[in-house]
Amino acid sequence: MFTTLARAKTFIEGRDFDSAALVYFQLLDTDLTTPLRGEVLTNLGAALCMLARGQTGATAQTQLDQARDLLVKALPCRQRAQAPAAWATTRANLALVHLARYELTGNSDELLSAHLALDGIEPALRNMRETGLRDWVAAIRDQLLELRERRSKRR
């Protein structure tokens, strides 16, 4: 199983999101521990989001819907108290999915959902050495704030 996970991560690093998604889908059909299931669900959701970002229309919408559903399923597997970095990673990916859904549909409710997905991440990571994760979350938050500012200027 760990060999399969390593193969999927290699696909992700090579930006081969189709192949990574196939491997992660296969892994979901195996007997996984709860934390590992959360990791697979999170990585699959992220891979589907990346696939959808290069597309438009119904295919992209379906992939983003599926990515959102997978990430929501991953949240109970990645509790903040037990694994704050894993929890934050799943929440940040969920925010990115909502951001991609906004870009696809223009529905401003998706921006609110993206902000909500990020709530609590900064305090959860404050005393941890997760600098890269904190920077990534800050970049997502900055992008969301920039979009909000642009939207308010258009009115």
Side-chain angles (χ1 to χ4, degrees), residues 3-154:
T3 304
T4 306
L5 270 174
R7 188 166 43 105
K9 287 180 182 185
T10 300
F11 286 137
I12 293 287
E13 290 165 1
R15 305 193 61 77
D16 183 354
F17 301 112
D18 280 313
S19 297
L22 288 173
V23 172
Y24 286 128
F25 273 120
Q26 292 168 353
L27 281 167
L28 285 179
D29 290 333
T30 64
D31 188 27
L32 300 169
T33 64
T34 300
L36 203 49
R37 181 162 296 281
E39 179 181 344
V40 170
L41 288 166
T42 297
N43 291 343
L44 178 54
L48 290 173
C49 180
M50 293 305 293
L51 282 171
R53 290 199 90 152
Q55 301 178 37
T56 59
T59 300
Q61 185 68 50
T62 299
Q63 287 173 325
L64 290 171
D65 290 347
Q66 193 173 22
R68 179 202 56 215
D69 295 346
L70 290 163
L71 290 162
V72 168
K73 275 181 160 176
L75 286 170
C77 301
R78 304 185 110 191
Q79 296 290 316
R80 177 181 173 171
Q82 288 80 27
W87 172 82
T89 299
T90 300
R91 302 283 300 216
N93 276 298
L94 184 57
L96 287 176
V97 168
H98 284 296
L99 178 59
R101 289 167 58 91
Y102 167 75
E103 291 168 348
L104 184 66
T105 66
N107 182 345
S108 60
D109 290 346
E110 296 295 344
L111 290 178
L112 177 59
S113 294
H115 278 288
L116 291 172
L118 295 178
D119 278 356
I121 290 179
E122 290 91 345
L125 298 177
R126 187 168 291 130
N127 297 324
M128 297 180 67
R129 295 186 179 177
E130 298 289 340
T131 312
L133 182 54
R134 278 197 315 264
D135 290 349
W136 180 46
V137 169
I140 297 168
R141 180 87 68 195
D142 289 348
Q143 187 175 4
L144 290 169
L145 292 173
E146 184 179 310
L147 283 170
R148 185 177 74 185
E149 287 175 16
R150 269 194 253 153
R151 286 185 60 243
S152 65
K153 287 180 183 176
R154 277 192 269 153

